[in-house]
C-alpha cells in the first residue's frame, strides 16, 4: 500500500488542519485502487506520521489528531 496525494494540494491533511469525523484526510493506493481514508475523530492534526508515496502497512498510524472536547 502506498500513500498518494491525488495531484491536488488539498487532498492530503497537514499539521494544523482541522478535521471532522468522516472527512477524507488522504488517499491510499492499494493494488492500483485509490482508497479515501477518513478521520475517525473530530479535532486538529498535530502530526503526520508518514510521507507521500511511502509504503505503509495495514493498521499503521498515519496521523496524530488532538480530539476536540
Amino acid at each position: 500500500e502506498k500513500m498518494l496525494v491525488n495531484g491536488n494540494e488539498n487532498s492530503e491533511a497537514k499539521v494544523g488542519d482541522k478535521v471532522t469525523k468522516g472527512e477524507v484526510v488522504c488517499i491510499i493506493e492499494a493494488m492500483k485502487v485509490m482508497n479515501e481514508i477518513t478521520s475517525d475523530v473530530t479535532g486538529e492534526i498535530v502530526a503526520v506520521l508518514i510521507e507521500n508515496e511511502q509504503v505503509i502497512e495495514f493498521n499503521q498510524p498515519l496521523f496524530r489528531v488532538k480530539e476536540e472536547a
Side-chain angles (χ1 to χ4, degrees), residues 2-6 12 27 48 50-55:
K2 191 185 289 188
M3 180 182 161
L4 292 177
V5 176
N6 198 19
E12 178 185 353
I27 298 171
V48 178
I50 36 74
E51 302 272 334
N52 188 32
E53 300 209 14
Q54 174 182 336
V55 175

Side-chain angles (χ1 to χ4, degrees), residues 9-61:
E9 225 173 83
N10 297 323
S11 63
E12 178 185 353
K14 47 196 169 310
V15 172
D17 284 356
K18 304 282 188 198
V19 294
T20 56
K21 185 173 183 172
E23 179 180 344
V24 175
V25 291
C26 68
I27 298 171
I28 302 289
E29 176 191 341
M31 297 173 46
K32 304 292 183 203
V33 176
M34 302 305 238
N35 300 282
E36 292 183 332
I37 305 303
T38 57
S39 178
D40 293 335
V41 297
T42 295
E44 179 181 345
I45 294 181
V46 294
V48 178
L49 306 175
I50 36 74
E51 302 272 334
N52 188 32
E53 300 209 14
Q54 174 182 336
V55 175
I56 60 171
E57 300 294 325
F58 181 74
N59 272 345
Q60 178 177 342

